[in-house]
């Protein structure tokens, strides 16, 4: 049981380092086949959690959405992992809205932000930066073209992630700010944010994200 959990975490780390090219392992996990239904659900929950996490970070929006729905279907409300998945599902939904407006996803993001406000009020160090990044992205996606307001929102999320020492989420907030600037045709600011994101991802140890950001930087040079 414990070994399966550890292998799942190792697979996630491997994926984020280099998509498993040099660090990958074959965990051969059999989720949900445990004789105890409770144990089986726990394994499935871990599996779905990691699938959401991995697929979000490597940019597979549809897969991320698919596994988030599966996670919500079996997970009990109120625990830590539930709100982490809500964070990534909310960001992923906003990414999908950027490509094609969808009223149901906009409404779902509103609901996610409302629930994140509650949990952030009880666990600020873990969730304040997540709430702020969701709000910044929501503002940028739903017609928020007042740049001063947007920059303040993104910078607040970046500062909160830095204060909480979530280097990966600090990088993510910088990345999202960079893409907002790119959409606003402000390439100079976009470069600043992308370079900050790259520094964060280098410290995090994710070659996948460093390469991704470097490609964006190269497009702006």
């Amino acid at each position: 049981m414990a070994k399966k959990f550890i292998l799942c975490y190792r697979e996630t780390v491997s994926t984020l380092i280099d998509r498993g090219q040099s660090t990958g392992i074959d965990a051969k996990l059999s989720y949900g086949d445990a004789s105890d239904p409770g144990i089986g659900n726990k394994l499935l929950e871990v599996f779905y959690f990691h699938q959401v996490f991995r697929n979000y970070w490597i940019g597979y929006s549809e897969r991320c959405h698919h596994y988030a729905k599966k996670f919500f279907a079996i997970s009990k409300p109120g625990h830590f992992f539930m709100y982490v998945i809500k964070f990534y599902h909310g960001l992923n939904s906003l990414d999908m809205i950027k490509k094609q407006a969808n009223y149901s996803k906009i409404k779902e993001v509103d609901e996610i932000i409302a629930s994140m406000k509650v949990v952030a009020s009880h666990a600020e160090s873990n969730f304040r930066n997540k709430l702020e990044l969701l709000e910044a992205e929501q503002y940028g996606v739903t017609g928020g073209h007042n740049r001063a307001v947007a920059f303040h929102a993104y910078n607040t999320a970046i500062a909160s992630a830095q204060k909480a020492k979530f280097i990966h989420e600090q990088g993510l907030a910088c990345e999202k700010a960079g893409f907002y600037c790119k959409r606003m045709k402000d390439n100079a600011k976009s470069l600043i944010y992308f370079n900050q994101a790259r520094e964060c991802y280098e410290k995090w140890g994710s070659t996948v994200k460093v390469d991704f950001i470097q490609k964006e930087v190269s497009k702006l040079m």
Side-chain angles (χ1 to χ4, degrees):
M1 177 76 170
K3 182 179 179 181
K4 289 185 177 183
F5 285 124
I6 293 169
L7 289 175
C8 193
Y9 277 92
R10 284 183 61 188
E11 279 193 305
T12 295
V13 172
S14 173
T15 299
L16 294 174
I17 291 174
D18 62 1
R19 295 181 185 267
Q21 290 180 7
S22 61
T23 55
I25 58 170
D26 185 3
K28 295 182 180 177
L29 299 176
S30 298
Y31 294 96
D33 64 352
S35 58
D36 184 334
I39 294 176
N41 280 340
K42 288 178 183 177
L43 289 170
L44 272 175
E45 189 176 55
V46 170
F47 174 71
Y48 293 150
F49 175 87
H50 281 273
Q51 287 295 328
V52 173
F53 190 84
R54 292 174 202 163
N55 284 299
Y56 179 78
W57 279 102
I58 62 178
Y60 294 158
S61 294
E62 293 295 340
R63 290 185 192 177
C64 179
H65 179 79
H66 170 76
Y67 284 111
K69 291 298 184 181
K70 284 185 171 291
F71 178 90
F72 293 139
I74 67 168
S75 183
K76 294 180 181 179
H79 66 74
F80 179 82
F81 281 174
M82 170 66 76
Y83 291 101
V84 174
I85 293 302
K86 282 189 175 186
F87 169 61
Y88 286 110
H89 181 55
L91 288 178
N92 188 56
S93 295
L94 286 163
D95 288 340
M96 296 173 82
I97 291 167
K98 291 172 192 174
K99 299 174 184 176
Q100 183 177 359
N102 184 305
Y103 175 75
S104 65
K105 283 189 173 62
I106 292 172
K107 184 179 179 182
E108 188 173 16
V109 169
D110 288 339
E111 293 171 352
I112 288 171
I113 288 176
S115 68
M116 294 295 285
K117 286 180 179 178
V118 175
V119 73
S121 70
H122 295 289
E124 183 166 323
S125 61
N126 282 323
F127 292 102
R128 174 60 55 185
N129 72 293
K130 295 174 177 63
L131 169 62
E132 289 168 348
L133 182 53
L134 281 167
E135 290 178 327
E137 278 287 272
Q138 184 189 48
Y139 179 80
V141 168
T142 57
H145 300 310
N146 184 322
R147 296 187 187 187
V149 173
F151 290 151
H152 176 74
Y154 283 114
N155 288 335
T156 299
I158 291 166
S160 292
Q162 184 178 32
K163 181 179 179 181
K165 301 187 186 304
F166 296 151
I167 192 69
H168 60 307
E169 291 175 5
Q170 181 184 344
L172 182 58
C174 292
E175 176 186 329
K176 295 298 186 183
F179 277 114
Y180 172 81
C181 293
K182 186 176 179 179
R183 292 196 302 274
M184 296 297 105
K185 311 300 183 184
D186 191 340
N187 289 353
K189 279 190 177 294
S190 185
L191 273 172
I192 291 172
Y193 282 119
F194 281 149
N195 282 322
Q196 290 174 357
R198 182 177 56 192
E199 290 177 9
C200 291
Y201 292 146
E202 285 173 347
K203 291 178 182 177
W204 191 33
S206 176
T207 303
V208 169
K209 292 301 297 183
V210 171
D211 291 347
F212 173 77
I213 292 297
Q214 185 56 51
K215 289 178 182 177
E216 292 299 326
V217 169
S218 297
K219 292 176 186 177
L220 297 173
M221 298 297 287

